[in-house]
């Protein structure tokens, strides 16, 4: 049934579809975390946990690709690069290793990687200066977290020969969910963090897309995580309120005014050149 579902989607939304094409599919959400994968970590070791997901992923992948050979099909991971002992999470690094081992043993294929590299902690508005970053966010493969400050940790890891695609290419990386809070009068910091994150993607040849996480603030996220991360304020998460600074910068950061927006972001951060903070790959 999963394979049939994938085949149906690949056919209905193919390149010549009257419904409009879909060429990028993300299977699940942050599947190394049990609250989104729905497999209790207490009952599965990392190998069994990953094998269940890989089985479902491969079925959907085969179905989609049977109808749309150019589609990208992504696994979805969060920012917890190393396992921190939390009963709800396996680390991204060990999940990737196990997924690749299982996939290769059963016939390698062109799976891709989707990541959500939020700040640590989530409510920190400044991607360039995160709380506890000295020990939690580093450019080492032993970094506990991967954020947009050190996204090179993920792409460097994927450059290993053992993790390349069947054609010898580094697998596509899609940043499909990342956002920054504006709580506490941090609108300019939120906007600068967003521009910083987008510029990191522009300068990393292995990242093929950047999607900012939320258009509107949502009261539940504000209450639970202190994350007012929308481009607009909103009283209820559905009604559009006032645009924030980030809204204007979002509209301009990849257009003719991109250099000016980067200069504004650099000014907020306190550097003369935003690119001096980047990790090009």
């Amino acid at each position: 049934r999963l394979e049939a579902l994938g085949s149906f989607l690949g056919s209905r939304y193919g390149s010549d579809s009257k419904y409009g094409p879909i060429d990028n599919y993300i299977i699940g959400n942050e599947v190394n975390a049990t609250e989104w994968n729905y497999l209790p970590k207490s009952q599965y070791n990392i190998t069994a946990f990953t094998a269940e997901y890989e089985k479902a992923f491969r079925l959907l992948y085969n179905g989609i690709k049977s109808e749309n050979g150019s589609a990208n099909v992504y696994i979805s991971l969060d920012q917890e690069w190393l396992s921190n002992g939390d009963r709800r999470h396996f680390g991204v690094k060990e999940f990737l290793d196990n997924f690749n081992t299982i996939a290769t043993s059963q016939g390698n294929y062109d799976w891709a990687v989707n990541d959500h590299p939020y700040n640590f902690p989530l409510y920190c508005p400044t991607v360039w200066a995160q709380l506890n970053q000295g020990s939690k966010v580093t450019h080492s493969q032993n970094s506990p977290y991967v954020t947009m400050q050190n996204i090179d940790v993920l792409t460097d890891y994927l450059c290993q020969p053992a993790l390349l695609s069947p054609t010898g290419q580094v697998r596509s990386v899609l940043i499909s969910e990342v956002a920054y809070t504006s709580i506490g009068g941090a609108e300019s910091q939120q906007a600068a963090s967003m521009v910083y994150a987008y510029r990191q993607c522009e300068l990393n040849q292995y990242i093929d897309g950047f999607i900012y996480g939320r258009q509107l603030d949502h009261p539940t996220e504000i209450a639970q995580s202190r994350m007012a991360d929308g481009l607009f304020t909103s009283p209820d998460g559905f009604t559009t309120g006032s645009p924030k600074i980030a809204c204007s910068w979002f509209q301009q950061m990849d257009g003719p005014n991109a250099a000016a927006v980067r200069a504004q972001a650099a000014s907020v951060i306190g550097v003369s050149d935003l690119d001096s903070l980047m990790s090009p790959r």
Side-chain angles (χ1 to χ4, degrees):
R1 289 174 181 173
L2 278 175
E3 193 165 15
L5 173 61
S7 178
F8 168 77
L9 291 171
S11 174
R12 182 179 175 87
Y13 302 106
S15 59
D16 57 352
S17 170
K18 66 179 181 180
Y19 302 103
I22 295 176
D23 287 320
N24 297 286
Y25 292 83
I26 302 169
I27 309 302
N29 173 66
E30 299 181 1
V31 295
N32 59 299
T34 60
E35 65 257 51
W36 305 119
N37 197 332
Y38 309 111
L39 292 178
K41 185 176 179 182
S42 61
Q43 297 178 28
Y44 290 83
N45 61 29
I46 180 62
T47 302
F49 184 88
T50 310
E52 286 295 323
Y53 175 72
E54 193 279 336
K55 185 190 305 181
F57 183 96
R58 185 186 290 262
L59 288 166
L60 284 162
Y61 175 98
N62 286 340
I64 291 166
K65 297 286 272 188
S66 71
E67 296 290 344
N68 183 354
S70 63
N72 297 307
V73 188
Y74 294 90
I75 62 177
S76 178
L77 305 166
D78 66 16
Q79 82 273 41
E80 298 207 27
W81 183 243
L82 299 183
S83 176
N84 62 6
D86 189 311
R87 63 182 177 83
R88 299 172 301 168
H89 289 83
F90 289 105
V92 166
K93 187 177 181 181
E94 63 178 341
F95 189 93
L96 272 173
D97 284 342
N98 277 270
F99 187 97
N100 185 60
T101 297
I102 294 164
T104 302
S105 69
Q106 298 180 14
N108 200 5
Y109 54 106
D110 196 20
W111 50 270
V113 178
N114 159 244
D115 196 56
H116 299 168
Y118 282 98
N119 274 355
F120 178 82
L122 291 173
Y123 56 80
C124 176
T126 53
V127 68
W128 61 91
Q130 295 164 60
L131 302 179
N132 300 315
Q133 80 175 62
S135 60
K136 300 294 187 181
V137 181
T138 74
H139 292 280
S140 162
Q141 289 298 325
N142 294 320
S143 177
Y145 291 86
V146 166
T147 74
M148 284 310 303
Q149 186 181 31
N150 66 337
I151 193 65
D152 51 282
V153 169
L154 171 61
T155 57
D156 285 356
Y157 200 72
L158 291 171
C159 287
Q160 296 179 94
L163 284 163
L164 299 179
S165 75
T167 59
Q169 303 300 308
V170 177
R171 298 179 187 276
S172 173
V173 174
L174 173 65
I175 306 301
S176 75
E177 184 186 323
V178 69
Y180 304 100
T181 187
S182 64
I183 280 181
E187 274 197 35
S188 61
Q189 294 174 322
Q190 175 199 35
S193 286
M194 177 191 65
V195 173
Y196 176 115
Y198 182 73
R199 186 60 173 164
Q200 281 279 46
C201 292
E202 281 190 306
L203 296 177
N204 191 315
Q205 63 182 308
Y206 306 116
I207 298 176
D208 292 324
F210 173 86
I211 301 173
Y212 188 75
R214 186 172 286 282
Q215 181 176 345
L216 307 178
D217 284 347
H218 199 284
T220 300
E221 286 195 346
I222 293 172
Q224 292 180 347
S225 306
R226 291 155 50 188
M227 288 286 286
D229 52 0
L231 300 176
F232 295 82
T233 62
S234 175
D236 54 12
F238 301 98
T239 306
T240 301
S242 302
K244 301 181 189 179
I245 296 170
C247 180
S248 172
W249 289 13
F250 179 87
Q251 294 171 327
Q252 301 178 68
M253 65 185 182
D254 66 345
N257 294 326
V261 169
R262 289 198 298 272
Q264 289 176 288
S267 178
V268 171
I269 295 169
V271 296
S272 59
D273 182 4
L274 184 64
D275 285 2
S276 69
L277 302 177
M278 301 292 103
S279 304
R281 289 296 187 269

